[in-house]
Amino acid sequence: MQRLYPLKFREIFKEKVWGGNRMKGLLDKNYDPLPNCGESWELSAVEDYVSVVKNGFLQDNDLRELIEIYMGDLVGDKVFDLFGTEFPLLVKFLDTADYLSVQVHPDDAIAKERHGSQGKTEMWYVVDAQPGAEIIVGFSQEVDRQTFLKHLEQNTLRQILNIEKAKAGDVFFLPAGRIHAIGAGITLCEIQQSSDVTYRIYDWDRPGLDGKMRELHLDQALDVMDYKVQPSYKTAYEPRLNGQTSLVKNPYFTTNMLALDKAMEMDYFFLDSFVLYVCLQGGCNIEYPWGNETIKKGETILLPAEIKNVKLIPAGQCKLLETYIH
């Protein structure tokens, strides 16, 4: 059997009622003939949206087929024992010309009971934000279910929601149960559990792409929402040049920032997991013991678990998100 190598996948482009047109210029995504691209699914094993390889001898095989064949060599023995052929993460780019719905996601227990699915804990890395762009994440004050419903009925939700001005480089961690919405004029990378379960709470009184009002899931959302207020919702971090900067660490995934302008050796000998690289700036060559691959801005690569060390050689300044399961 030929050895595994860093895998690239064909994007799955999605038109959205709130979708923007900036992925072409910012991330070199060609989503023609769609009139907009709200989401580019970079790596997915969600039912009906399973990613297909676009490079090397495994071209045209899908992610689930590869896990069936290569098992722990691809995803790591520990990850395979936990998830089997279900790839545990979903990676997307989102681009907005309007607000997403105000929404919330269930945790593992409720998602499994109601939908036979994983829960949805996620993180956002803001790639670009137009002046004044907003992100809604969490509450700005302590509320309970009754207070929340009163504001929803009176159309005064904004009074109790935490609204952040978004800028490039911002990181937000969204555990299941945290209310959120992305505002207009934002391009971001989303890394999340492999789930497409979303409970819409408020959709700005607008119709969907088919001209009909989109379904809301208020009763389900009320049961899963975390009403507590947090002291801060934005992740504080100090980027280290030519080093690894921790952004998010939780039971579902660990994500670090790699900012480099010179070659950097990465050792994954003690990591029993695949590694994902999402390139946010520049590009680099990925050298591994039996070959090499390149990555550029807007691309995502799956580094199989059997590749235990790589050398990242940037072309100028390069920024990568590095994600794995610990």
Side-chain angles (χ1 to χ4, degrees):
M1 194 184 290
Q2 287 179 271
R3 300 198 76 170
L4 285 166
Y5 56 93
L7 297 164
K8 295 183 181 183
F9 295 84
R10 295 191 189 114
E11 300 101 322
I12 300 165
F13 297 125
K14 296 194 170 208
E15 180 188 359
K16 294 287 180 180
V17 67
W18 44 261
N21 285 293
R22 302 192 306 149
M23 281 202 218
K24 279 182 184 170
L26 284 172
L27 300 169
D28 198 25
K29 303 281 183 196
N30 182 9
Y31 49 81
D32 291 338
L34 295 181
N36 76 53
C37 182
E39 297 186 359
S40 172
W41 288 27
E42 301 294 300
L43 188 58
S44 166
V46 171
E47 198 69 45
D48 300 326
Y49 299 104
V50 181
S51 293
V52 173
V53 177
K54 69 175 182 182
N55 67 325
F57 75 90
L58 292 170
Q59 185 172 329
D60 299 328
N61 287 272
D62 77 38
L63 183 53
R64 282 190 178 168
E65 292 167 348
L66 295 185
I67 297 173
E68 280 177 18
I69 296 164
Y70 291 98
M71 301 186 290
D73 285 346
L74 178 60
V75 295
D77 292 332
K78 180 182 70 179
V79 174
F80 186 75
D81 289 346
L82 278 172
F83 297 97
T85 58
E86 299 295 316
F87 191 74
L89 298 181
L90 170 58
V91 179
K92 308 174 184 176
F93 284 109
L94 286 82
D95 181 50
T96 65
D98 196 359
Y99 265 90
L100 274 71
S101 60
V102 179
Q103 58 189 241
V104 71
H105 306 299
D107 63 14
D108 285 350
I110 291 175
K112 186 170 185 183
E113 178 191 325
R114 292 181 183 172
H115 312 282
S117 164
Q118 286 192 63
K120 192 169 171 184
T121 285
E122 60 192 13
M123 70 158 281
W124 294 334
Y125 179 94
V126 178
V127 177
D128 191 74
Q130 293 178 334
E134 296 177 339
I135 277 182
I136 291 172
V137 52
F139 291 104
S140 60
Q141 56 196 267
E142 288 287 345
V143 296
D144 57 21
R145 184 179 174 132
Q146 282 67 39
T147 310
F148 176 79
L149 282 170
K150 185 184 83 175
H151 281 281
L152 186 61
E153 285 160 15
Q154 295 177 355
N155 209 15
T156 55
L157 258 190
R158 283 180 70 94
Q159 290 180 15
I160 57 169
L161 296 173
N162 175 59
I163 300 169
E164 306 265 358
K165 293 295 183 195
K167 64 181 192 304
D170 282 350
V171 172
F172 295 92
F173 176 58
L174 297 124
R178 184 166 293 172
I179 193 168
H180 60 275
I182 305 169
I186 292 173
T187 308
L188 59 75
C189 178
E190 180 174 278
I191 297 168
Q192 58 163 90
Q193 286 178 270
S194 181
S195 166
D196 201 26
V197 179
T198 293
Y199 296 155
R200 284 191 211 102
I201 297 161
Y202 177 60
D203 202 24
W204 313 100
D205 304 313
R206 70 180 165 205
L209 290 169
D210 61 1
K212 299 173 185 169
M213 303 306 280
R214 295 198 298 174
E215 185 184 358
L216 300 179
H217 316 93
L218 183 58
D219 289 344
Q220 291 169 300
L222 290 170
D223 288 345
V224 305
M225 208 178 320
D226 178 2
Y227 296 97
K228 295 190 217 54
V229 65
Q230 301 297 323
S232 176
Y233 292 96
K234 195 183 291 190
T235 300
Y237 69 98
E238 284 292 328
R240 289 172 56 218
L241 189 58
N242 302 310
Q244 201 177 39
T245 304
S246 175
L247 299 181
V248 168
K249 190 171 187 175
N250 65 83
Y252 305 108
F253 56 89
T254 296
T255 297
N256 305 307
M257 164 69 74
L258 304 178
L260 49 155
D261 65 3
K262 63 182 183 185
M264 193 167 156
E265 301 261 2
M266 304 302 297
D267 180 0
Y268 299 116
F269 186 76
F270 295 107
L271 187 67
D272 190 9
S273 169
F274 61 88
V275 177
L276 302 179
Y277 291 137
V278 182
C279 188
L280 305 169
Q281 178 187 334
C284 73
N285 196 41
I286 302 170
E287 288 186 357
Y288 56 101
W290 51 92
N292 70 85
E293 183 56 84
T294 59
I295 188 171
K296 64 181 174 63
K297 185 176 182 178
E299 287 189 326
T300 298
I301 272 184
L302 170 59
L303 190 70
E306 75 166 351
I307 298 178
K308 294 300 182 186
N309 52 76
V310 298
K311 188 175 189 179
L312 303 175
I313 304 168
Q317 293 267 359
C318 178
K319 262 188 199 168
L320 304 172
L321 292 180
E322 171 199 48
T323 298
Y324 48 81
I325 294 180
H326 221 317

